[in-house]
Amino acid sequence: MPVTESKYLSPVWRDGLFKDRVVFVTGGAGTICSMQTRALVRLGANACIVGRSEDKTVEAAKDIATARPGARVIGIGGCDVRQMESLQAAADRCARELGGIDFVIAGAAGNFVVPLEAMSSNAFKSVMDIDALGTFHTVKATLPHLLLSPTPRIIYISATFHYTGMPMQAHVSAAKAAVDSIAASVALEYGPRGVTSNVIAPGAIEETEGAARLLSSEVTKEYAATIPSGRLGTVRDVADATVFLFSEAGAYINGQVIPVDGGAWRRQAGSAVGTDPSMQYPNYLLSGEISKNIKDPRKSKL
């Protein structure tokens, strides 16, 4: 359903800022990436979002297109970022139907709460494949098109767990560290050819799938109070950072990791991920306890 503009975009941006630009987004039906895309479309861009679920991706594309009359938004479902051929076909279709690719958002990701000793090799590999290998595939598939653009820009959606380490997030910490490293390499290799390559690392963003998977509903309010800025983030916070980096105002920012978390990562060691108020660090780790008030994606079909 259409979303009120104030929910995903600040009023400071100029109409038509991204007129005739095209953005390609992996994970584009997700709660964060869909709002990033919606903001860019509202400001003049056309878009192609890709995802594994056919129905969810197509419906999200139709909904995003309501942000601006005349917007063209393609939804490509059945696309697995772990498969290079799948990404290549999607990128080529985007460029063919929309006239090119100017911006890329690498946002496909996987996550769940699990202690290291309970994590299988397949579980670890799955997250690495989606986040790290998927990011590599996204870059490789889109670069030939990006290099034809006058404004070739890439944003990767990462996290902050690997800055300090995070209990029950060893798999995601490793994967996101790899994403940050890929972004730095792209900046060095392709900066001389005009490409900017930057990372946005969201903290806990309210009303999102990610927050539901990581933060117990019993601890969210208390956790928000520990964030230096005093609240959880919003999808608009991430979308505004995206608009800035893709605009001319962000043209000289390259190879950077930008946390959008209100300063939360500076206090995060032994944080609220996977816990309830009664669970104290490090006791819950020693007992193997995990909150029963978080969403487990392994027990539900997307």
Side-chain angles (χ1 to χ4, degrees), residues 114-120 170 284-288:
V114 61
L116 195 64
E117 64 184 334
M119 191 187 325
S120 69
Y284 69 91
L285 294 172
L286 298 175
S287 67

Side-chain angles (χ1 to χ4, degrees), residues 152-178:
R153 296 183 183 159
I154 307 173
I155 288 174
Y156 316 77
I157 303 303
S158 188
T160 64
F161 301 146
H162 53 291
Y163 301 173
T164 59
M166 179 66 64
M168 305 194 198
Q169 293 287 276
H171 49 323
V172 180
S173 296
K176 293 306 189 183

Side-chain angles (χ1 to χ4, degrees), residues 128-217:
M128 289 297 295
D129 283 353
I130 294 170
D131 288 43
L133 186 61
T135 293
F136 167 74
H137 286 160
T138 300
V139 171
K140 191 169 178 63
T142 58
L143 263 175
H145 304 293
L146 277 172
L147 291 173
L148 298 175
S149 168
T151 57
R153 296 183 183 159
I154 307 173
I155 288 174
Y156 316 77
I157 303 303
S158 188
T160 64
F161 301 146
H162 53 291
Y163 301 173
T164 59
M166 179 66 64
M168 305 194 198
Q169 293 287 276
H171 49 323
V172 180
S173 296
K176 293 306 189 183
V179 169
D180 291 5
S181 184
I182 291 169
S185 293
V186 172
L188 288 167
E189 290 190 39
Y190 292 94
R193 299 173 69 177
V195 177
T196 66
S197 172
N198 294 294
V199 172
I200 289 177
I205 304 298
E206 64 184 11
E207 299 178 2
T208 62
E209 182 77 7
R213 291 185 180 188
L214 297 180
L215 290 179
S216 161
S217 58

